[in-house]
Amino acid sequence: MWRIFGIFILLNILIFGLLSTGVIGYIPNLDDLENPIDKYASQVISSDDKLLFTYSQSDDNRIFTDYSQLSPYLIQALVATEDVRFYKHSGIDIIGLGRAVVKTLLLQHESSGGGSTITQQLAKQLYSPRAKNKIQRLFQKPVEWVIAVKLERYYTKDEIINLYLNKYDFNYNAIGIELASHTYFNKKPIDLTVEEAATLVGMLKNSALYNPVRRPDLTQQRRNVVLTQMVKAGYLSEEEKNELISKPIKLDFNRANHTDIPAPYYRQHLAMVLMADKPDRRDYPASWQKQQFIEDSIAWAENPLYGWCKKNKKADGSNYNLYTDGLKIYSTIDSRMQKYAEESVREQMAYLQPIFDKEKEGKPYAPFSSSVAKEVDRLLANAMRQTDRYRGMKKAGFSEDEILTEFKNHKTEMKVFSWKGGEIDTVMTPWDSIRYHKSFLRAGFMAMDPFTGHVKAYVGGPDFKFFKYDMVSTGKRQIGSTIKPFLYTLAMEEGMTPCDQVLHVPQTLITETGQEWSPKNAGAGNVGEMVTIKWGLQNSSNWVTAYLMKQFSPYAFARLLKSFGLKSPIDPVVSLALGICDASVSEMVSGYSAFANRGIRVDPLMVTRIEDSYGNVIATFIPSMHEIFSESTSYKMLDMLRAVIDGGTGSRMRRIYNLKGQMGGKTGTTQNNSDGWFMSFTPNIVAGSWVGGEDRSIHFDRMAYGQGASMALPIHGLFYQKVYADPSLRISDDGIFEIPEQFRNPCFEPDKYSPEYYRNSQPVEGQGIDDIFD
């Protein structure tokens, strides 16, 4: 018997020796043990200190939380429930293990009370692969014991608890205690109450079974077990437990996903910027990609945020990884203003869409205009080639004709977008689904601080899940009449004033090729009369604008547009005066910031600083500013752009949305109503919006709804109403533009700069022009 016992002891020493050296089984190397969790989700924090979203690898959406940020109730509940002798053992609880062996092998109990310590459970989570055969299952538990002992050598008890809570998957993409606290209770871990901490600790037994969302009663029973264990361990009194177990579980559920989070378009754009590679011309092979290569190269050279992860290295010499390095990114986005912006876009688009659908009802080529009837199939085919289904079939070897036949004829179950319910289940062909989704109007909106460049709200489309193309930074469309203030700025810089008069008649300009160009002026008023330049901008007169274009070189105007921040190629032609060039919403907001900032344009700033996972500040960012025009010109432009709101094409801001505060702005509509724009600015905010179809051939046929004042302006009206109604933002409508006395009221009109005027005046209609015309 002694020989057998001796052999057993020697055999165990041999096996554990081989296990500890990694000869048999899997033992992590020293570096892995010293850095057991090196894949943390990066957090993006709003300017008002709210967690907006995270960046993580698809299988590891974890935010690391320091031990000091854990509620003491969490630690007490964990120790009492999972490992009451945690502070007395060195990785293996001999008493607990012996109890489990006796109950399981000798007494045949199904529930043995558990023999795994917290350290062993951590070892299993971190390193133990799933056993695939009997041999692996035989050594799985001994391997966990060896790893647990090693972990205890390298880490304190507090660090082990912290690692354990940061590793566990609590369901709903909430990996780690930080996201679990946010997902189920909308709190930080340190703010959890006793019963909330007990609920989360109870989930550690089986988070799928004890799911407070799907099985609240069962989860409450499990929570009460945890509370009872806390009494046994001396952390709670019997009276405290009795009071707590009677409470139902109260959740504030916030499921973590990347399509139903604040600012999803901002999230997508920020990741693209931070992780951008240094532009290489070989990655832009097509001729049409040349301009994008130029823009990206300039951004790489001039924008510190662009490609930040690839430009900066960690202490070990490797580049930062947005998805694995646990960065804390402090955003300029304000969570409240972002919420109001998203609500405003949704409300306006949900209102506008049924009107658009009714206009297109019964038309054979809907949602496209009849002028492109022959091109409908080509447009749909181009869209088809952008889908995952197409790329998958192409990779599988299907021909173009086979794919087209499949798309047009094979009906399949799918989810499609709807303003009535977010998404609906239906059956249709992929071809029809492409056409169906093209029928929805798109939008982009951005709000920014005109002095610091801090982007406060960023909405790239109506619904990120179905329409991922970002119409704030990525998408560019013709800007129409929103270009006019830039031309008027050139005129003011060259010595003209808002009060200079022009005969309001059609204008004819000669192009460089000798052709005549005579712009139309729909709904023109005051024809044949002398009007001021200010009146021309106020009412968006194409004739006054053409007159100004006649006075200056298109080349000088094109250079000025570049100064305003427009990045696309600009042809120096006379028709440029009516906005035939393309720009993004982001570029236009940056350009209009100069009107509120005394001639100084500020680039949009999306991040103020970045910290590493240890809380060290590793990068800070400041606004980039550019002086475009003189301060005196800024006051002239301010006077004219405020007139647009007070009695011109933007007067709906006062008449419909009852906004009394000082404000400037400009509407914009392009050919065939393909694009509707509105730009606005106050003493605190500069904002821009665009509304239109995915393709230029998708548009309203009637100007009443197709103009910028009808499509894009309402987003601003709703947004400002919500912002002004929130006292926590401390942004009111009583702010005023600071204008020196000599620049006030240049045309001797009623004093519209006094706060009393805005408190007592009633909104007025356009001056001699129906305000439906832009």
Side-chain angles (χ1 to χ4, degrees):
M1 186 179 68
W2 280 109
R3 289 195 189 97
I4 293 173
F5 181 73
I7 293 171
F8 176 77
I9 295 297
L10 291 173
L11 187 60
N12 273 277
I13 292 173
L14 177 63
I15 290 174
F16 280 97
L18 295 174
L19 285 172
S20 64
T21 56
V23 175
I24 58 174
Y26 167 75
I27 297 297
N29 59 38
L30 181 62
D31 289 338
D32 286 340
L33 283 171
E34 291 179 342
N35 301 281
I37 302 178
D38 62 353
K39 296 180 178 179
Y40 300 128
S42 293
Q43 306 173 61
V44 177
I45 312 298
S46 69
S47 62
D48 54 323
D49 201 30
K50 303 290 184 183
L51 175 64
L52 285 175
F53 48 76
T54 64
Y55 292 109
S56 66
Q57 292 184 322
S58 59
D59 61 342
D60 205 352
N61 188 42
R62 184 194 306 112
I63 297 174
F64 181 77
T65 302
D66 189 77
Y67 183 85
S68 63
Q69 296 300 308
L70 298 178
S71 165
Y73 302 129
L74 267 173
I75 301 165
Q76 294 167 4
L78 177 64
V79 172
T81 307
E82 296 295 328
D83 189 357
V84 73
R85 283 178 291 277
F86 175 68
Y87 294 105
K88 298 178 180 179
H89 63 67
S90 297
I92 302 174
D93 182 7
I94 300 299
I95 297 175
L97 181 62
R99 184 191 66 238
V101 170
V102 170
K103 287 186 176 182
T104 302
L105 298 181
L106 301 182
L107 302 180
Q108 299 294 308
H109 288 183
E110 291 185 6
S111 177
S112 61
S116 291
T117 64
I118 291 175
T119 316
Q120 286 175 245
Q121 293 179 48
L122 175 62
K124 183 176 182 180
Q125 288 182 14
L126 291 173
Y127 306 114
S128 182
R130 184 179 296 275
K132 297 179 180 179
N133 52 54
K134 292 182 179 180
I135 300 298
Q136 289 183 352
R137 281 195 291 272
L138 178 66
F139 286 107
Q140 187 167 14
K141 188 61 69 173
V143 166
E144 291 173 14
W145 293 338
V146 171
I147 296 175
V149 172
K150 286 180 176 286
L151 287 173
E152 290 272 353
R153 288 176 57 191
Y154 287 110
Y155 294 96
T156 66
K157 293 291 187 178
D158 291 350
E159 289 172 333
I160 288 172
I161 284 180
N162 200 43
L163 289 170
Y164 179 74
L165 290 174
N166 274 290
K167 177 64 179 175
Y168 192 81
D169 186 346
F170 289 86
N171 286 332
Y172 300 111
N173 207 29
I175 301 178
I177 194 63
E178 173 82 20
L179 277 178
S181 302
H182 177 75
T183 299
Y184 293 105
F185 300 109
N186 199 20
K187 290 184 176 181
K188 294 183 180 296
I190 198 169
D191 298 323
L192 292 171
T193 62
V194 178
E195 64 271 22
E196 291 168 345
T199 300
L200 294 178
V201 169
M203 293 177 68
L204 297 173
K205 185 175 179 68
N206 186 332
S207 60
L209 179 63
Y210 300 109
N211 183 329
V213 177
R214 300 181 62 186
R215 300 183 180 90
D217 293 338
L218 187 62
T219 306
Q220 184 172 338
Q221 293 175 20
R222 176 60 185 167
R223 180 204 66 182
N224 293 344
V225 169
V226 174
L227 293 172
T228 301
Q229 293 299 109
M230 292 178 72
V231 173
K232 293 180 180 179
Y235 295 124
L236 287 179
S237 67
E238 191 70 31
E239 292 76 15
E240 288 173 321
K241 183 202 79 171
N242 292 335
E243 181 182 351
L244 292 171
I245 61 175
S246 61
K247 293 183 178 181
I249 295 177
K250 292 183 179 180
L251 300 178
D252 186 356
F253 186 63
N254 299 272
R255 183 168 186 170
N257 64 70
H258 298 155
T259 60
D260 188 22
I261 58 171
Y265 292 94
Y266 171 83
R267 180 185 187 276
Q268 173 183 258
H269 178 69
L270 183 60
M272 180 187 71
V273 170
L274 288 168
M275 294 292 288
D277 291 307
K278 184 176 182 179
D280 186 326
R281 188 66 180 93
R282 291 170 295 183
D283 297 329
Y284 303 78
S287 58
W288 58 268
Q289 293 178 309
K290 179 180 178 181
Q291 178 59 30
Q292 189 61 53
F293 170 70
I294 294 172
E295 291 182 23
D296 291 348
S297 298
I298 294 173
W300 178 273
E302 298 181 355
N303 185 352
L305 193 66
Y306 190 88
W308 182 87
C309 290
K310 303 301 174 70
K311 294 176 182 176
N312 295 274
K313 296 184 181 297
K314 297 179 288 187
D316 63 3
S318 62
N319 290 109
Y320 283 99
N321 190 313
L322 181 63
Y323 299 95
T324 62
D325 283 333
L327 303 172
K328 265 195 173 181
I329 302 167
Y330 288 86
S331 166
T332 60
I333 292 287
D334 184 287
S335 66
R336 297 157 296 183
M337 294 176 73
Q338 178 66 29
K339 175 176 178 288
Y340 299 147
E342 291 176 355
E343 289 175 354
S344 300
V345 170
R346 281 197 299 268
E347 288 172 25
Q348 169 62 1
M349 301 311 290
Y351 163 78
L352 206 58
Q353 190 64 46
I355 300 172
F356 180 75
D357 293 340
K358 186 174 182 180
E359 184 185 271
K360 298 298 179 182
E361 189 176 359
K363 295 183 178 180
Y365 303 108
F368 301 93
S369 64
S370 57
S371 61
V372 295
K374 295 180 180 178
E375 297 185 28
V376 170
D377 281 352
R378 180 184 62 82
L379 292 170
L380 292 175
N382 286 342
M384 176 191 72
R385 295 185 185 97
Q386 306 304 315
T387 64
D388 293 335
R389 185 189 299 268
Y390 174 87
R391 286 189 283 265
M393 294 185 68
K394 200 71 176 176
K395 189 175 181 180
F398 289 90
S399 68
E400 194 76 12
D401 288 341
E402 289 173 327
I403 295 174
L404 194 60
T405 300
E406 176 75 10
F407 264 72
K408 287 187 174 182
N409 299 324
H410 181 69
K411 289 188 176 183
T412 182
E413 294 182 358
M414 63 178 68
K415 292 182 183 294
V416 297
F417 178 72
S418 170
W419 279 116
K420 295 180 179 179
E423 64 180 43
I424 55 177
D425 294 309
T426 188
V427 176
M428 64 172 64
T429 67
W431 187 263
D432 288 338
S433 75
I434 293 173
R435 188 167 191 158
Y436 171 80
H437 283 111
K438 276 187 175 290
S439 70
F440 287 94
L441 295 172
R442 312 298 167 83
F445 175 84
M446 189 177 101
M448 184 180 84
D449 185 311
F451 305 104
T452 65
H454 288 192
V455 176
K456 295 300 181 183
Y458 188 110
V459 185
D463 185 277
F464 184 73
K465 183 174 182 179
F466 289 94
F467 311 109
K468 288 185 170 57
Y469 192 72
D470 178 6
M471 288 305 302
V472 168
S473 296
T474 306
K476 297 187 179 186
R477 297 291 284 262
Q478 283 189 354
I479 59 178
S481 294
T482 55
I483 201 174
K484 290 176 180 176
F486 302 150
L487 177 60
Y488 281 64
T489 298
L490 178 60
M492 298 302 106
E493 279 287 87
E494 294 298 324
M496 301 184 78
T497 74
C499 311
D500 291 346
Q501 294 195 333
V502 178
L503 184 63
H504 197 225
V505 294
Q507 302 287 327
T508 299
L509 285 74
I510 306 300
T511 68
E512 285 188 334
T513 59
Q515 296 176 318
E516 293 185 349
W517 179 70
S518 301
K520 296 179 180 179
N521 197 30
N526 295 14
V527 178
E529 300 179 14
M530 295 299 293
V531 297
T532 63
I533 291 176
K534 176 179 178 179
W535 184 94
L537 184 59
Q538 180 183 33
N539 295 285
S540 200
S541 169
N542 287 345
W543 292 345
V544 175
T545 303
Y547 170 82
L548 294 179
M549 187 74 256
K550 190 187 293 186
Q551 312 308 309
F552 307 105
S553 163
Y555 289 90
F557 185 38
R559 286 194 296 272
L560 181 63
L561 291 176
K562 288 294 184 181
S563 298
F564 271 103
L566 275 63
K567 299 173 182 176
S568 297
I570 298 175
D571 292 329
V573 294
V574 293
S575 57
L576 186 61
L578 299 188
I580 61 171
C581 60
D582 293 345
S584 67
V585 171
S586 177
E587 291 169 7
M588 292 299 289
V589 171
S590 176
Y592 269 68
S593 69
F595 298 125
N597 196 18
R598 300 179 182 178
I600 298 175
R601 177 178 69 83
V602 59
D603 288 330
L605 185 67
M606 297 191 173
V607 172
T608 56
R609 76 178 189 273
I610 300 176
E611 295 178 357
D612 63 18
S613 58
Y614 301 103
N616 301 312
V617 177
I618 53 178
T620 57
F621 304 92
I622 59 175
S624 176
M625 299 186 179
H626 316 268
E627 185 174 357
I628 305 174
F629 50 87
S630 66
E631 187 173 340
S632 61
T633 291
S634 74
Y635 298 136
K636 297 175 188 178
M637 291 305 304
L638 188 55
D639 178 72
M640 291 191 286
L641 289 167
R642 288 181 59 192
V644 174
I645 301 298
D646 294 337
T649 57
S651 62
R652 296 184 189 196
M653 295 292 279
R654 305 222 184 275
R655 180 165 50 83
I656 296 178
Y657 298 98
N658 200 31
L659 297 170
K660 297 287 188 179
Q662 294 191 7
M663 180 183 296
K666 186 67 188 78
T667 54
T669 310
T670 63
Q671 189 76 13
N672 299 322
N673 309 316
S674 293
D675 309 280
W677 287 83
F678 188 66
M679 306 299 301
S680 69
F681 59 91
T682 72
N684 312 102
I685 301 170
V686 57
S689 64
W690 167 89
V691 176
E694 180 180 340
D695 300 302
R696 287 188 54 81
S697 55
I698 300 173
H699 54 73
F700 275 103
D701 296 326
R702 295 183 298 147
M703 195 173 192
Y705 289 107
Q707 60 172 310
S710 298
M711 290 201 295
L713 179 149
I715 296 174
H716 294 243
L718 293 167
F719 176 72
Y720 285 116
Q721 283 180 338
K722 296 172 188 291
V723 168
Y724 291 149
D726 186 346
S728 70
L729 285 169
R730 297 181 179 179
I731 300 176
S732 64
D733 63 351
D734 58 3
I736 60 173
F737 294 106
E738 296 181 2
I739 301 176
E741 187 68 33
Q742 66 269 30
F743 289 103
R744 295 188 180 186
N745 199 12
C747 299
F748 304 102
E749 299 169 323
D751 185 7
K752 296 180 180 178
Y753 293 98
S754 65
E756 291 77 14
Y757 175 85
Y758 289 96
R759 292 288 168 264
N760 303 321
S761 66
Q762 293 297 318
V764 295
E765 298 290 345
Q767 298 179 1
I769 181 172
D770 189 335
D771 75 334
I772 72 164
F773 292 108
D774 178 11

